[in-house]
PDB file of all heavy atoms in Angstrom:
ATOM      1  N   LYS A 185      33.817  34.611  88.443  1.00 98.00           N
ATOM      2  CA  LYS A 185      33.684  36.024  88.076  1.00 98.00           C
ATOM      3  C   LYS A 185      32.217  36.366  87.911  1.00 98.00           C
ATOM      4  O   LYS A 185      31.442  35.547  87.408  1.00 98.00           O
ATOM      5  CB  LYS A 185      34.364  36.302  86.724  1.00 98.00           C
ATOM      6  CG  LYS A 185      35.867  36.367  86.753  1.00 98.00           C
ATOM      7  CD  LYS A 185      36.387  36.768  85.364  1.00 98.00           C
ATOM      8  CE  LYS A 185      37.782  36.221  85.136  1.00 98.00           C
ATOM      9  NZ  LYS A 185      38.124  36.114  83.714  1.00 98.00           N
ATOM     10  N   GLY A 186      31.894  37.573  88.262  1.00 98.00           N
ATOM     11  CA  GLY A 186      30.571  38.110  87.959  1.00 98.00           C
ATOM     12  C   GLY A 186      29.465  37.479  88.786  1.00 98.00           C
ATOM     13  O   GLY A 186      29.717  36.720  89.731  1.00 98.00           O
ATOM     14  N   GLU A 187      28.255  37.801  88.391  1.00 98.00           N
ATOM     15  CA  GLU A 187      27.063  37.315  89.088  1.00 98.00           C
ATOM     16  C   GLU A 187      25.950  37.074  88.091  1.00 98.00           C
ATOM     17  O   GLU A 187      25.834  37.788  87.102  1.00 98.00           O
ATOM     18  CB  GLU A 187      26.536  38.397  90.058  1.00 98.00           C
ATOM     19  CG  GLU A 187      27.126  38.352  91.422  1.00 98.00           C
ATOM     20  CD  GLU A 187      26.395  39.284  92.391  1.00 98.00           C
ATOM     21  OE1 GLU A 187      25.437  39.975  91.982  1.00 98.00           O
ATOM     22  OE2 GLU A 187      26.798  39.310  93.546  1.00 98.00           O
ATOM     23  N   GLN A 188      25.121  36.091  88.375  1.00 98.00           N
ATOM     24  CA  GLN A 188      23.872  35.894  87.643  1.00 98.00           C
ATOM     25  C   GLN A 188      22.818  35.531  88.678  1.00 98.00           C
ATOM     26  O   GLN A 188      23.096  34.808  89.641  1.00 98.00           O
ATOM     27  CB  GLN A 188      24.015  34.785  86.594  1.00 98.00           C
ATOM     28  CG  GLN A 188      24.476  33.448  87.153  1.00 98.00           C
ATOM     29  CD  GLN A 188      24.466  32.345  86.103  1.00 98.00           C
ATOM     30  OE1 GLN A 188      23.565  32.259  85.280  1.00 98.00           O
ATOM     31  NE2 GLN A 188      25.493  31.485  86.135  1.00 98.00           N
ATOM     32  N   THR A 189      21.631  36.048  88.473  1.00 98.00           N
ATOM     33  CA  THR A 189      20.528  35.760  89.390  1.00 98.00           C
ATOM     34  C   THR A 189      19.409  35.135  88.572  1.00 98.00           C
ATOM     35  O   THR A 189      18.991  35.702  87.554  1.00 98.00           O
ATOM     36  CB  THR A 189      20.041  37.055  90.070  1.00 98.00           C
ATOM     37  OG1 THR A 189      21.137  37.586  90.819  1.00 98.00           O
ATOM     38  CG2 THR A 189      18.891  36.776  91.024  1.00 98.00           C
ATOM     39  N   GLY A 190      18.972  33.958  88.969  1.00 96.00           N
ATOM     40  CA  GLY A 190      17.920  33.303  88.201  1.00 96.00           C
ATOM     41  C   GLY A 190      17.376  32.089  88.925  1.00 96.00           C
ATOM     42  O   GLY A 190      17.823  31.754  90.029  1.00 96.00           O
ATOM     43  N   ASN A 191      16.431  31.438  88.268  1.00 95.00           N
ATOM     44  CA  ASN A 191      15.780  30.266  88.839  1.00 95.00           C
ATOM     45  C   ASN A 191      16.720  29.079  88.878  1.00 95.00           C
ATOM     46  O   ASN A 191      17.484  28.845  87.949  1.00 95.00           O
ATOM     47  CB  ASN A 191      14.564  29.875  88.000  1.00 95.00           C
ATOM     48  CG  ASN A 191      13.321  30.613  88.434  1.00 95.00           C
ATOM     49  OD1 ASN A 191      13.236  31.076  89.563  1.00 95.00           O
ATOM     50  ND2 ASN A 191      12.362  30.700  87.541  1.00 95.00           N
ATOM     51  N   GLU A 192      16.602  28.336  89.939  1.00 96.00           N
ATOM     52  CA  GLU A 192      17.402  27.137  90.086  1.00 96.00           C
ATOM     53  C   GLU A 192      16.529  26.049  90.698  1.00 96.00           C
ATOM     54  O   GLU A 192      15.656  26.330  91.524  1.00 96.00           O
ATOM     55  CB  GLU A 192      18.583  27.477  91.007  1.00 96.00           C
ATOM     56  CG  GLU A 192      19.677  26.448  90.996  1.00 96.00           C
ATOM     57  CD  GLU A 192      20.995  27.017  91.525  1.00 96.00           C
ATOM     58  OE1 GLU A 192      21.391  28.145  91.134  1.00 96.00           O
ATOM     59  OE2 GLU A 192      21.609  26.332  92.339  1.00 96.00           O
ATOM     60  N   GLY A 193      16.774  24.824  90.265  1.00 96.00           N
ATOM     61  CA  GLY A 193      16.071  23.688  90.846  1.00 96.00           C
ATOM     62  C   GLY A 193      17.065  22.602  91.178  1.00 96.00           C
ATOM     63  O   GLY A 193      18.264  22.734  90.909  1.00 96.00           O
ATOM     64  N   CYS A 194      16.574  21.527  91.759  1.00 97.00           N
ATOM     65  CA  CYS A 194      17.462  20.442  92.183  1.00 97.00           C
ATOM     66  C   CYS A 194      16.643  19.158  92.196  1.00 97.00           C
ATOM     67  O   CYS A 194      15.498  19.162  92.664  1.00 97.00           O
ATOM     68  CB  CYS A 194      17.991  20.745  93.585  1.00 97.00           C
ATOM     69  SG  CYS A 194      19.058  19.460  94.255  1.00 97.00           S
ATOM     70  N   LEU A 195      17.241  18.065  91.700  1.00 97.00           N
ATOM     71  CA  LEU A 195      16.528  16.784  91.685  1.00 97.00           C
ATOM     72  C   LEU A 195      16.190  16.318  93.100  1.00 97.00           C
ATOM     73  O   LEU A 195      15.271  15.514  93.270  1.00 97.00           O
ATOM     74  CB  LEU A 195      17.363  15.729  90.962  1.00 97.00           C
ATOM     75  CG  LEU A 195      17.621  16.011  89.472  1.00 97.00           C
ATOM     76  CD1 LEU A 195      18.522  14.949  88.875  1.00 97.00           C
ATOM     77  CD2 LEU A 195      16.320  16.110  88.695  1.00 97.00           C
ATOM     78  N   SER A 196      16.903  16.833  94.091  1.00 98.00           N
ATOM     79  CA  SER A 196      16.626  16.461  95.483  1.00 98.00           C
ATOM     80  C   SER A 196      15.559  17.340  96.130  1.00 98.00           C
ATOM     81  O   SER A 196      15.221  17.138  97.299  1.00 98.00           O
ATOM     82  CB  SER A 196      17.908  16.522  96.314  1.00 98.00           C
ATOM     83  OG  SER A 196      18.825  15.549  95.861  1.00 98.00           O
ATOM     84  N   VAL A 197      15.078  18.319  95.359  1.00 97.00           N
ATOM     85  CA  VAL A 197      13.992  19.189  95.848  1.00 97.00           C
ATOM     86  C   VAL A 197      12.927  19.204  94.748  1.00 97.00           C
ATOM     87  O   VAL A 197      12.738  20.196  94.051  1.00 97.00           O
ATOM     88  CB  VAL A 197      14.510  20.622  96.146  1.00 97.00           C
ATOM     89  CG1 VAL A 197      13.450  21.441  96.891  1.00 97.00           C
ATOM     90  CG2 VAL A 197      15.804  20.592  96.955  1.00 97.00           C
ATOM     91  N   PRO A 198      12.252  18.069  94.542  1.00 94.00           N
ATOM     92  CA  PRO A 198      11.395  17.939  93.361  1.00 94.00           C
ATOM     93  C   PRO A 198      10.224  18.913  93.379  1.00 94.00           C
ATOM     94  O   PRO A 198       9.666  19.213  94.430  1.00 94.00           O
ATOM     95  CB  PRO A 198      10.895  16.489  93.432  1.00 94.00           C
ATOM     96  CG  PRO A 198      11.158  16.030  94.823  1.00 94.00           C
ATOM     97  CD  PRO A 198      12.283  16.859  95.360  1.00 94.00           C
ATOM     98  N   GLY A 199       9.908  19.391  92.179  1.00 94.00           N
ATOM     99  CA  GLY A 199       8.720  20.222  92.012  1.00 94.00           C
ATOM    100  C   GLY A 199       8.861  21.656  92.461  1.00 94.00           C
ATOM    101  O   GLY A 199       7.880  22.392  92.481  1.00 94.00           O
ATOM    102  N   LYS A 200      10.104  22.074  92.794  1.00 96.00           N
ATOM    103  CA  LYS A 200      10.295  23.438  93.293  1.00 96.00           C
ATOM    104  C   LYS A 200      11.418  24.119  92.527  1.00 96.00           C
ATOM    105  O   LYS A 200      12.338  23.464  92.029  1.00 96.00           O
ATOM    106  CB  LYS A 200      10.713  23.425  94.773  1.00 96.00           C
ATOM    107  CG  LYS A 200       9.827  22.616  95.663  1.00 96.00           C
ATOM    108  CD  LYS A 200       8.763  23.468  96.291  1.00 96.00           C
ATOM    109  CE  LYS A 200       8.043  22.655  97.359  1.00 96.00           C
ATOM    110  NZ  LYS A 200       6.853  23.314  97.825  1.00 96.00           N
ATOM    111  N   VAL A 201      11.332  25.438  92.474  1.00 96.00           N
ATOM    112  CA  VAL A 201      12.463  26.262  92.010  1.00 96.00           C
ATOM    113  C   VAL A 201      12.568  27.456  92.948  1.00 96.00           C
ATOM    114  O   VAL A 201      11.614  27.801  93.656  1.00 96.00           O
ATOM    115  CB  VAL A 201      12.298  26.781  90.561  1.00 96.00           C
ATOM    116  CG1 VAL A 201      12.372  25.642  89.559  1.00 96.00           C
ATOM    117  CG2 VAL A 201      11.015  27.572  90.391  1.00 96.00           C
ATOM    118  N   GLY A 202      13.739  28.068  92.905  1.00 97.00           N
ATOM    119  CA  GLY A 202      13.945  29.269  93.703  1.00 97.00           C
ATOM    120  C   GLY A 202      15.001  30.130  93.040  1.00 97.00           C
ATOM    121  O   GLY A 202      15.756  29.656  92.174  1.00 97.00           O
TER     122      GLY A 202
END
Side-chain angles (χ1 to χ4, degrees):
K185 284 185 207 158
E187 271 190 359
Q188 56 174 320
T189 299
N191 273 337
E192 194 161 315
C194 178
L195 296 177
S196 295
V197 190
K200 308 266 189 191
V201 292

